[in-house]
Amino acid sequence: MDYLLTEEQIMIRDLAKKIAEDKIRPVASHYDEAEEFPWDIMKLLSQADLFGVYIDEEYGGIGGGVMELVLVTEELSRACGGIAICYAASALGTYPILLYGNEEQKKKFLPDLAAGRKLAAFGLTEPDAGSDASGIQTTAARNGDHYILNGTKQWITNGGEADIYVIIAMTDKSKGARGASAFIVEKGMKGFTFGKKEKKMGIRASATRELVFTDCPVPKENILGKEGFGFIVAMKTFDKSRPGVAAQALGIAQGALDLALKYARDRIQFGKPIISFQGVKFMLADMATEVEASRALVYAAARMIDNGHKDISKESAMTKLYASDVAMKVTTDAVQIFGGYGYMRDYPIEKYMRDAKITQIYEGTNQIQRDIIATELIKERARQK
């Protein structure tokens, strides 16, 4: 389908696609097996100015938006979802600064992030606070010109590799969610260390670690917004970033479809390619339709956000929900088309299935997305009365 991309968007997409095909696809299996962070690929993306596609020009970016981020993430994910999320997760850590940073904070942190000289990460999830983001236990106590952070964040993408972290911590537990605040924390700060690197089912190129804060002093100038704004920072960030997760899921699904289609044309059974059999044809037709429907939804939501719509929680949740469910279904069907070969690690398709699963889980499980969508529908109905 023609999505009426601008010339600049087409150029960005094609550049990302070329890097994905020429540089990422040949090494995707290596990084998956080695569970090694792909710094060489991050440097290539930096040199190609892709880290700044969604950042304002005055801070070193190219002045694009969510749509440009979606296009890059989709193309990288077609080759490797694990490497792609190393790139996309930096945007997750950058958006809080874009949305709520003051001018001084933006000038200090955004140029390095836009240039890809530094990566970012976002720290919300804890051992006992995942879907219940309001249940976080990490604290930030004011002490003169600093806040003292204590606590542990869990399953943080880019953990240990990123230099800049946005951390949600409680400044007043008695206020519940309204007592949370957001802080910019830099790697190397006293009292800020990392736990073990997690061993994962999929996206193995990506680094996932605990963040540990032990009497970590953070300058008061590093608070985003003001005290009590942390939950809002987190939720508004997710509204902007969830189409990025959807784009990752979309790219994984498209990549799996590409491989399944090629295999179905090449695999001979009963004297002819298996794509000639109606059962396989119908599977491929459904897969292609679902991928295209996913793309239409993701692109529409990204444009809606970039056009300045304020109430985007429902649409953002829809993109993440639908695209990730499609990714899981399409990759599962792709493995089925490959048959026994699809289950073997000698073939690339099983990796797509493993990588797809996480898109239904992080940045809010799909059950949480359904709850968000339903809640927004109820609000809309109430406003119409």
Side-chain angles (χ1 to χ4, degrees):
M1 294 179 66
D2 183 357
Y3 290 101
L4 304 176
L5 301 179
T6 66
E7 287 186 12
E8 186 172 31
Q9 287 170 341
I10 291 171
M11 181 183 71
I12 289 170
R13 182 198 64 190
D14 290 349
L15 176 59
K17 183 174 184 177
K18 180 171 177 56
I19 292 173
E21 290 300 318
D22 294 350
K23 303 298 184 181
I24 296 178
R25 191 176 295 279
V27 299
S29 177
H30 162 75
Y31 282 109
D32 182 62
E33 294 282 347
E35 302 184 37
E36 176 187 340
F37 193 82
W39 274 114
D40 57 340
I41 303 297
M42 296 303 104
K43 289 176 182 176
L44 284 173
L45 298 176
S46 171
Q47 292 165 5
D49 290 330
L50 292 179
F51 276 100
V53 295
Y54 60 95
I55 296 176
D56 297 338
E57 291 182 57
E58 61 184 304
Y59 306 116
I62 70 165
V66 174
M67 186 64 187
E68 283 74 15
L69 176 64
V70 159
L71 291 170
V72 175
T73 303
E74 177 188 354
E75 291 301 331
L76 301 183
S77 300
R78 285 176 75 166
C80 179
I83 292 176
I85 198 59
C86 302
Y87 164 85
S90 190
L92 173 62
T94 301
Y95 266 123
I97 303 173
L98 271 173
L99 293 172
Y100 291 98
N102 57 39
E103 194 62 23
E104 184 179 347
Q105 290 167 338
K106 289 180 178 179
K107 287 180 177 178
K108 179 178 179 180
F109 296 107
L110 291 181
D112 281 340
L113 293 170
R117 289 188 293 268
K118 294 181 178 179
L119 299 183
F122 185 69
L124 174 65
T125 303
E126 297 183 2
D128 295 316
S131 296
D132 181 13
S134 63
I136 60 175
Q137 298 299 309
T138 297
T139 59
R142 181 71 181 267
N143 184 1
D145 291 336
H146 291 77
Y147 286 86
I148 308 301
L149 268 62
N150 281 284
T152 301
K153 296 296 181 180
Q154 189 177 48
W155 299 327
I156 305 305
T157 307
N158 283 357
E161 308 296 334
D163 291 288
I164 299 167
Y165 298 78
V166 172
I167 304 299
I168 308 299
M170 301 301 294
T171 44
D172 188 345
K173 283 189 174 183
S174 68
K175 294 182 179 179
R178 293 185 178 183
S181 302
F183 300 88
I184 303 172
V185 182
E186 296 182 74
K187 185 177 181 179
M189 282 184 168
K190 180 183 176 182
F192 178 22
T193 57
F194 304 100
K196 67 181 178 69
K197 184 177 180 179
E198 303 288 352
K199 299 185 74 65
K200 305 186 294 290
M201 178 172 76
I203 60 166
R204 292 175 177 170
S206 165
T208 305
R209 288 186 178 90
E210 285 184 335
L211 312 182
V212 182
F213 302 96
T214 308
D215 294 331
C216 173
V218 178
K220 64 181 178 60
E221 292 81 11
N222 283 29
I223 194 169
L224 283 170
K226 59 184 179 180
E227 282 194 18
F229 244 56
F231 192 69
I232 293 172
V233 170
M235 295 305 103
K236 293 300 182 182
T237 293
F238 286 148
D239 284 348
K240 282 263 192 175
S241 66
R242 278 175 177 147
V245 177
Q248 181 198 15
L250 169 60
I252 290 170
Q254 182 65 67
L257 174 59
D258 294 342
L259 292 173
L261 182 60
K262 182 180 185 305
Y263 182 83
R265 292 167 64 105
D266 294 341
R267 175 66 168 165
I268 304 297
Q269 288 288 275
F270 305 102
K272 52 186 175 181
I274 63 172
I275 200 171
S276 65
F277 297 109
Q278 188 180 70
V280 175
K281 275 200 234 179
F282 282 10
M283 287 178 71
L284 289 167
D286 287 345
M287 292 159 70
T289 301
E290 289 162 348
V291 168
E292 204 60 56
S294 177
R295 181 173 290 112
L297 179 59
V298 173
Y299 286 13
R303 282 179 166 146
M304 181 180 176
I305 295 169
D306 289 340
N307 286 334
H309 288 265
K310 300 299 182 184
D311 298 323
I312 54 174
S313 295
K314 180 185 69 178
E315 291 76 13
S316 185
M318 283 177 170
T319 65
K320 196 269 189 189
L321 166 66
Y322 186 74
S324 61
D325 279 353
V326 164
M328 199 65 236
K329 182 180 183 301
V330 167
T331 56
T332 302
D333 286 348
V335 170
Q336 189 71 20
I337 288 172
F338 271 74
Y341 291 110
Y343 202 71
M344 302 302 149
R345 290 169 71 175
D346 291 339
Y347 284 72
I349 197 62
E350 58 86 29
K351 177 183 179 301
Y352 281 78
M353 185 177 175
R354 287 189 285 108
D355 287 349
K357 184 59 194 174
I358 191 61
T359 64
Q360 294 179 308
I361 298 173
Y362 57 18
E363 285 199 39
T365 66
N366 280 9
Q367 287 68 36
I368 290 294
Q369 305 310 312
R370 288 179 169 90
D371 189 67
I372 292 170
I373 294 163
T375 299
E376 292 300 316
L377 289 172
I378 293 167
K379 289 180 182 177
E380 288 174 5
R381 182 63 177 169
R383 287 195 293 265
Q384 291 169 1
K385 288 183 178 180

